[in-house]
Amino acid sequence: MRVLLLGQGAREHCIAEALNSELYSFMKTRNPGIMKLSKEYVISDLDLKKLGKFAKRINPDFAFIGPEGPLEKGAVDYLKSLEIECFGPTKSLARIETSKAFMRRLMEKYGIDGAPESKVFSSIEGVDEYMRDINDFVVKPDGLTGGKGVKVFGEHLKSIEEALEYSKELLRSHDFVVIEERLDGEEFSLQCVSDGKHLAATIPVQDHKRAYEDDQGPNTGGMGSYSIENHLLPFLKKKDVEKGEKITKDIMKALYKETGEYYKGVLYGGFILTKEGVKLLEYNARFGDPEVMNILPILKNNFAEICSDVVNQDLKKIEFEKKATVCKYVVPEGYPLSPVPGKLDIPETEAKVYYASVDLREDGLYMTRSRAAAFVGIANTIDDAEKIAQNAVEKVRGNVFYRKDIGTEKLLRKRVEHMKKLRR
Ligand code: AMP
Ligand code: GLY
């Protein structure tokens, strides 16, 4: 198949590998991994006209839109107007990710289960009262923030005054701010594929949003993630995963009713298992980064065929090898608050390597200001997968850090204990 891929991160590097097709790429930066896999590539900021021209010349079987930014900018709408099929939702459908207010209202309107107590505000009026009312809450901007916009009361926000200040600040640059009940539990990502009529779930993965070990520090795009060979997580039962799938199916149907358009792409639910059951924190309109790296490398089906089936609305079941995976990101010192760019050297490793925010220059590889490269260990057990990933990140040379604890038995046990304590 002939595929046009948009995006330049580790997620897209992994997608490029899994597509295993005649690949044409459109990237902002020179991702060495994607460059190597591409027959031809364009390095440019996203310019729809430029993208359209490239797409017309190539005439791909479909275009695959990796990140959320181009979805929000209407890349799919534009390519469709040129009669290019796309794996990825239109701008209107992508609001499931780009607007938390839209997502919460959709759940309410169609009576979809699993929504936490929350309220959407377009001005600061009433925010104070609502915060005091629900007592324990989080503050979310209505828009894309790379996973870094949510602040938790009692943790990132020390007082109601500080929470109000943050809400006011958000309202200056966003249409809405969402105040939401703070949920306690264990998070999991369930990335589902939708053709608008059928939904196919993949396996659950757990991401690690906090920058430092033991889940301390600021939120990041995700420092690493794991999946288990039994296709569950240590704290998760089959019925919890099925609940996540059911909510997502309901969302897919509601999106069609609301917009009259079929959702073709990824519906990735960010769920949390609480003592009251599974609740939904957010939807993403694309694969997770890092979570895609836990699923595509162990996919049994042909990935390009899955994408083509989505485009043709003939999606079937998706199957995975019974393997465990651990992904660890190497990030520049100071990330995410004040990252220091610098040189990066990656020696040979047993792990799979996916390049992210790096720039290939004449004298070598340089980190930019975000997550630099991801290392994925794949094995029959999580212990072995963790060792492969850990050995790889330890060998990396450069001014970097990573989370040693991801995928370790100690952290997994802590997650299980946390759930037990909540249920007691
Ligand atoms: P989101 O962008 O909505 O996924 O939020 C990013 C992160 O903030 C989530 O992965 C959670 O760790 C945290 N978060 C979001 N909403 C809540 C909530 N209602 N209660 C507790 N933590 C939350
Ligand atoms: N890992 C979180 C995300 O992709 O949004």
Side-chain angles (χ1 to χ4, degrees):
M1 260 183 254
R2 193 180 255 256
V3 185
L4 167 61
L5 176 65
L6 186 58
Q8 57 284 314
R11 168 180 46 213
E12 288 74 27
H13 182 184
C14 180
I15 290 168
E17 177 191 75
L19 280 168
N20 192 22
S21 302
E22 189 177 304
L23 193 70
Y24 298 82
S25 324
F26 194 100
M27 314 180 249
K28 255 192 224 164
T29 50
R30 303 168 64 80
N31 182 314
I34 303 176
M35 281 158 62
K36 207 169 160 188
L37 295 170
S38 302
K39 184 153 185 204
E40 197 182 322
Y41 53 81
V42 172
I43 308 288
S44 160
D45 277 342
L46 181 60
D47 170 337
L48 290 185
K49 289 248 159 70
K50 206 166 175 176
L51 174 70
K53 225 170 132 187
F54 187 46
K56 272 315 252 187
R57 178 162 64 77
I58 293 157
N59 194 25
D61 289 293
F62 60 88
F64 193 110
I65 318 299
E68 60 276 23
L71 297 173
E72 189 183 37
K73 287 215 174 85
V76 170
D77 307 65
Y78 187 68
L79 289 172
K80 277 179 127 179
S81 76
L82 302 176
E83 290 175 353
I84 307 242
E85 298 280 9
C86 294
F87 182 99
T90 60
K91 185 180 162 126
S92 169
L93 289 167
R95 281 180 298 165
I96 199 68
E97 167 166 9
T98 62
S99 168
K100 296 204 193 280
F102 172 80
M103 187 269 280
R104 287 297 178 217
R105 284 173 180 153
L106 190 83
M107 289 186 87
E108 205 176 291
K109 184 170 170 188
Y110 293 90
I112 298 171
D113 235 18
E117 185 81 36
S118 80
K119 211 163 170 175
V120 180
F121 293 90
S122 59
S123 80
I124 201 70
E125 209 175 311
V127 173
D128 188 344
E129 208 185 334
Y130 189 66
M131 281 176 176
R132 288 177 202 278
D133 202 32
I134 61 171
N135 202 13
D136 212 1
F137 59 86
V138 302
V139 181
K140 301 183 172 190
D142 187 57
L144 297 178
T145 54
K148 295 162 204 142
V150 176
K151 290 200 179 178
V152 178
F153 180 65
E155 225 173 305
H156 307 106
L157 304 165
K158 299 290 181 212
S159 64
I160 294 266
E161 287 67 37
E162 207 181 312
L164 281 169
E165 264 322 299
Y166 183 56
S167 307
K168 279 186 203 160
E169 184 193 317
L170 291 177
L171 281 166
R172 269 179 237 128
S173 48
H174 298 84
D175 291 341
F176 304 102
V177 63
V178 181
I179 311 296
E180 190 165 283
E181 161 197 14
R182 177 190 180 168
L183 298 170
D184 196 0
E186 282 298 326
E187 291 181 43
F188 64 99
S189 305
L190 188 62
Q191 304 166 88
C192 295
V193 178
S194 156
D195 68 8
K197 289 181 177 167
H198 315 98
L199 189 90
T202 67
I203 57 175
V205 176
Q206 190 170 43
D207 185 18
H208 298 70
K209 301 248 183 201
R210 300 304 189 93
Y212 315 133
E213 258 142 58
D214 215 18
D215 300 318
Q216 302 296 309
N219 272 327
T220 69
M223 292 294 292
S225 47
Y226 67 89
S227 72
I228 311 267
E229 65 278 8
N230 67 1
H231 298 168
L232 293 173
L233 295 170
F235 53 86
L236 210 60
K237 297 209 166 62
K238 194 156 176 247
K239 70 168 175 33
D240 302 319
V241 181
E242 283 166 357
K243 176 81 190 181
E245 193 178 338
K246 166 77 170 65
I247 294 172
T248 308
K249 215 172 238 173
D250 290 344
I251 289 278
M252 177 186 80
K253 289 180 191 157
L255 280 167
Y256 179 70
K257 283 188 195 141
E258 187 67 14
T259 65
E261 292 182 70
Y262 288 114
Y263 192 105
K264 295 182 179 180
V266 176
L267 272 172
Y268 148 12
F271 292 99
I272 183 166
L273 179 63
T274 71
K275 67 175 193 292
E276 273 104 33
V278 172
K279 305 266 178 176
L280 179 85
L281 295 180
E282 65 164 350
Y283 265 104
N284 292 317
R286 34 82 196 168
F287 278 121
D289 186 351
E291 296 97 315
V292 77
M293 294 178 268
N294 300 95
I295 62 168
L296 293 187
I298 58 164
L299 184 67
K300 275 191 183 168
N301 313 55
N302 177 314
F303 184 54
E305 258 168 36
I306 293 179
C307 299
S308 161
D309 286 348
V310 163
V311 167
N312 299 317
Q313 296 198 293
D314 187 25
L315 180 62
K316 298 162 198 97
K317 201 169 170 317
I318 303 180
E319 292 186 301
F320 296 89
E321 288 170 55
K322 297 260 177 221
K323 297 257 185 207
T325 66
V326 173
C327 172
K328 298 195 191 212
Y329 252 117
V330 157
V331 304
E333 212 46 75
Y335 172 81
L337 302 173
S338 42
V340 186
K343 216 163 172 193
L344 187 71
D345 186 29
I346 301 176
E348 276 289 307
T349 159
E350 196 190 333
K352 281 185 163 282
V353 183
Y354 298 110
Y355 296 102
S357 291
V358 289
D359 190 25
L360 184 61
R361 301 186 198 157
E362 269 177 15
D363 63 335
L365 199 59
Y366 283 81
M367 297 186 277
T368 56
R369 302 181 58 80
S370 200
R371 296 174 292 179
F375 297 80
V376 182
I378 300 170
N380 289 330
T381 65
I382 180 107
D383 277 355
D384 289 345
E386 193 276 332
K387 281 192 195 95
I388 295 170
Q390 182 60 29
N391 281 338
V393 294
E394 275 173 16
K395 282 197 213 138
V396 172
R397 285 187 291 267
N399 208 1
V400 298
F401 75 97
Y402 49 82
R403 275 185 63 167
K404 215 172 171 169
D405 60 350
I406 294 171
T408 58
E409 200 198 327
K410 190 169 163 222
L411 194 58
L412 263 54
R413 213 180 314 120
K414 191 178 146 189
R415 307 269 186 240
V416 172
E417 286 306 316
H418 180 208
M419 264 339 286
K420 269 195 195 150
K421 199 172 134 213
L422 284 177
R423 284 202 175 110
R424 238 175 258 143

